[in-house]
Amino acid sequence: MVDTLKYKDWSEVAKKDLHGAKILYEKASTHDKEFRKFIKDCALLNGYYIETRYPAEDPLIAEEEDVKDGFKFAEEIISFIDMSIQ
């Protein structure tokens, strides 16, 4: 799962290719450094996005726990952004 990499490693992944999430993550991080804590969450969520837009030869099969984590991560990110803009 995504927690196996350190923040530094995920930063390098984000700089290389996270498609749209990469751009959003970089912009959010420049406005609020605290957003950096979501790099792993953004990477996981981006994987789901990419798969729906560009299906792979071997389809993504998400376990129920992974889906629940994805929803939790998305809710945490949205909540953080909502609190930041108030």
Side-chain angles (χ1 to χ4, degrees), residues 14 18 47 49 64 71 80:
L18 281 183
Y49 162 76
E64 184 176 349
F71 275 109
F80 178 82

Side-chain angles (χ1 to χ4, degrees), residues 25-81:
Y25 169 80
E26 288 176 353
K27 286 187 179 280
S29 294
T30 61
H31 292 285
D32 188 338
K33 302 286 186 224
E34 247 187 278
F35 194 80
R36 291 180 178 173
K37 65 184 176 185
F38 295 112
I39 182 64
K40 291 186 245 179
D41 304 340
C42 289
L44 176 76
L45 294 171
N46 192 70
Y48 294 131
Y49 162 76
I50 294 295
E51 182 67 25
T52 61
R53 298 284 298 181
Y54 311 103
E57 187 174 317
D58 294 323
L60 170 71
I61 299 174
E63 300 292 327
E64 184 176 349
E65 183 180 339
D66 294 332
V67 173
K68 287 179 180 179
D69 284 346
F71 275 109
K72 184 182 93 175
F73 296 154
E75 288 170 351
E76 289 172 358
I77 292 168
I78 291 167
S79 178
F80 178 82
I81 292 169

